[in-house]
């Protein structure tokens, strides 16, 4: 079995600090860490909500992927990341099954993870990330 | 600790059978069960994706909550359900912290779960369900 389960739920927000506070207050979340991918224009925080992870992503400017997402749809769920123990094998399977990949080969994502995104049109509108987390 | 983690990710889709097939083919998902809440106009399938659950929800007609969601936004992520071992305590905490509840008391949801929804305006645009699963 390649896919282990949900690695994290990605949520697009305008203000990282305010959003961390919301998840702490409402659901007892604990901050795991913060990171930034400047070439993608994203600031991020990883939270543990119980045993699960929520990744908050905020744009560093309006003309970024997350900035345009917020302008178009407002804050909310942005992507789901599925953890795999074999990212190359998972990508081969996706291609074989006709899925459209945004990243045809794995790249370095937030928090040092090896990641690749699948186009939402192949997954009923869900922007899906596959993640290898060591 | 009340909140244990993500119980399931809820995805709004137009066609349940086609969507089950997509998750099976792309991610090796296994069908856990099907259910319907006729008073809410929802057909549902619960899938295991690795160790995690994805709940597919399809409308029974256009003039339903999920029908209007699909017409407005298209298919995609609809809600996230957080599992709690004390749903009454979790709801008291949410009220104390100023969150707006859609369900002020738990009700019977899909698959026999005890559930209550929190308004997305209180969780940065994320429609959040709290779930007690026995």
């Amino acid at each position: 079995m390649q896919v282990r389960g949900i690695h994290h739920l990605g949520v697009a927000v305008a203000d990282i600090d305010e959003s961390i506070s919301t998840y702490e207050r409402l659901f007892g979340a604990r901050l795991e860490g913060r990171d930034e991918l400047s070439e993608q224009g994203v600031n991020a925080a990883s939270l543990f909500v119980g045993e699960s992870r929520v990744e908050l992503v905020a744009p560093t400017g309006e003309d970024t992927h997350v900035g345009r997402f917020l302008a178009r749809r407002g804050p909310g769920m942005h992507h789901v990341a599925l953890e795999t123990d074999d990212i190359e094998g998972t990508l081969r399977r996706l291609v074989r099954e006709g899925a459209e990949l945004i990243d045809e080969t794995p790249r370095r994502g937030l928090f040092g993870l090896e990641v690749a995104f699948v186009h939402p049109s192949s997954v009923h509108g869900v922007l899906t990330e596959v993640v290898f987390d060591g």
Side-chain angles (χ1 to χ4, degrees), chain A:
Chain A
M1 193 58 203
Q2 293 169 348
V3 173
R4 292 180 178 173
I6 294 174
H7 182 273
H8 64 262
L9 176 67
V11 176
V13 299
D15 184 317
I16 286 272
D17 292 313
E18 186 191 344
S19 309
I20 292 171
S21 165
T22 299
Y23 275 87
E24 288 173 341
R25 287 188 302 105
L26 299 188
F27 305 117
R30 296 103 60 212
L31 182 65
E32 184 187 16
R34 287 165 176 265
D35 197 12
E36 184 175 333
L37 271 187
S38 51
E39 72 276 22
Q40 307 238 350
V42 170
N43 261 311
S46 181
L47 301 175
F48 276 113
V49 181
E51 303 290 309
S52 301
R53 274 195 196 88
V54 170
E55 182 181 283
L56 303 170
V57 292
T60 56
E62 287 178 18
D63 190 24
T64 59
H65 168 77
V66 177
R68 288 187 293 271
F69 179 95
L70 286 177
R72 199 169 62 240
R73 308 190 62 158
M77 290 185 284
H78 176 265
H79 67 271
V80 63
L82 300 178
E83 184 169 1
T84 173
D85 49 22
D86 173 8
I87 195 165
E88 300 280 1
T90 298
L91 293 181
R92 278 196 301 274
R93 175 184 183 140
L94 288 166
V95 168
R96 196 171 63 232
E97 294 293 342
E100 184 185 341
L101 301 182
I102 295 173
D103 302 295
E104 293 187 7
T105 54
R107 63 176 175 80
R108 189 67 55 177
L110 286 161
F111 303 102
L113 298 168
E114 211 177 332
V115 310
F117 279 86
V118 187
H119 199 282
S121 63
S122 296
V123 201
H124 302 277
V126 178
L127 177 58
T128 306
E129 182 183 13
V130 292
V131 164
F132 177 71
D133 188 7

